[in-house]
């Protein structure tokens, strides 16, 4: 398979490594210094583009890929809700976009466990729920796209919560299991420090005990593998 990489930072390099190890060819890499290459023959020859960039540029990147006739796998968070209607229209017209807030297979499994647990906890109103997410200090969005997806999974199954609210801790503050405020909103506590690839924790608190489930990414490789598998699909 011929793959174009849109975004050639840390994730882009790891995706390149994983893709080559699975027998694929990288035909084009696009970053901030060569956006004109969306119009190149090399980019147009790609079977699919894998896009990991910034929320501010993802929409235009996808549109440029579509204009070149290239399918897109996008792992950039916090841009799709604003443009969902247009993306659905473009895909109905024949373009292809495979987007996820997190391509890690482990996170997919964790998400299923999270939804199942929320359904159980709906019967036990003495437990309040909160979420903690920890990422590297370069991450700009808060909460993470994965945290939002997990929160939506909880809200769909836990009737006593109707929305989520985010609190971003000062840069460098370490996860501390803050006490959630009682109320309708599911609280998400966000922490940014060091080079943490991503930790997501969902916890149910009562006066008697705490139930905790956690996904702790050891590296970015799991995200890269999932994105390449999505491109293969």
């Amino acid at each position: 398979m011929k793959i174009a990489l849109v975004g050639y930072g840390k994730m882009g390099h790891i995706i390149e490594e994983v893709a080559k190890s699975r027998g694929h060819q990288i035909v084009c890499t696009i970053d901030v210094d060569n956006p004109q290459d969306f119009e190149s023959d090399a980019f147009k020859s790609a079977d699919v583009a894998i896009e990991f960039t910034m929320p501010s540029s993802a929409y235009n990147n996808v549109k440029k890929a579509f204009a070149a006739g290239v399918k897109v796998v996008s792992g950039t968070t916090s841009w799709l809700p604003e443009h969902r209607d247009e993306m659905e229209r473009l895909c109905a017209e024949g373009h292809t976009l495979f987007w996820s807030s997190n391509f890690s297979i482990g996170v997919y499994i964790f998400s299923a466990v999270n939804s199942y647990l929320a359904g159980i906890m709906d019967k036990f109103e003495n437990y309040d729920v909160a979420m903690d997410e920890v990422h590297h200090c370069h991450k700009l969005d808060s909460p993470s796209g994965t945290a939002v997806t997990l929160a939506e999974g909880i809200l769909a199954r836990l009737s006593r919560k109707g929305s989520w609210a985010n609190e971003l801790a000062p840069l460098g503050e370490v996860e501390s299991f803050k006490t959630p405020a009682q109320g309708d909103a599911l609280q998400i506590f966000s922490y940014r420090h060091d080079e943490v690839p991503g930790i997501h924790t969902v916890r149910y608190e009562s006066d008697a005990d705490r139930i905790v489930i956690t996904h702790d990414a050891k590296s970015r490789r799991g995200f890269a593998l999932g994105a390449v598998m999505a491109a293969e699909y």
Side-chain angles (χ1 to χ4, degrees), residues 16-156:
E16 179 178 40
E17 177 186 333
V18 171
K20 287 181 176 179
S21 74
R22 294 173 70 87
H24 304 305
Q25 178 185 0
I26 305 300
V27 296
C28 182
T29 59
I30 295 179
D31 213 2
V32 293
D33 56 349
N34 64 328
Q36 69 278 2
D37 285 358
F38 276 107
E39 300 177 7
S40 67
D41 291 338
F43 182 82
K44 293 176 182 178
S45 73
D47 298 304
V48 61
I50 301 180
E51 195 267 354
F52 276 79
T53 59
M54 303 291 288
S56 58
S57 57
Y59 168 71
N60 286 328
N61 291 338
V62 173
K63 290 288 293 291
K64 290 176 182 178
F66 283 177
V70 178
K71 300 173 183 179
V72 180
V73 169
S74 174
T76 305
T77 60
S78 301
W79 71 275
L80 187 58
E82 182 181 353
H83 303 286
R84 186 178 297 276
D85 290 346
E86 182 181 3
M87 289 296 108
E88 289 180 351
R89 176 181 60 79
L90 290 170
C91 288
E93 293 174 357
H95 297 289
T96 299
L97 171 65
F98 191 143
W99 177 88
S100 177
S101 61
N102 194 314
F103 279 101
S104 164
I105 303 303
V107 167
Y108 177 81
I109 297 168
F110 181 73
S111 181
V113 173
N114 172 63
S115 295
Y116 180 74
L117 179 59
I120 294 174
M121 300 307 293
D122 191 44
K123 304 176 180 67
F124 300 96
E125 295 187 0
N126 56 316
Y127 285 87
D128 201 4
V129 62
M131 187 186 309
D132 306 280
E133 60 100 350
V134 188
H135 282 86
H136 52 84
C137 58
H138 314 291
K139 188 171 182 61
L140 299 180
D141 55 326
S142 171
S144 69
T146 302
V148 172
T149 299
L150 291 169
E152 290 172 347
I154 294 170
L155 296 178

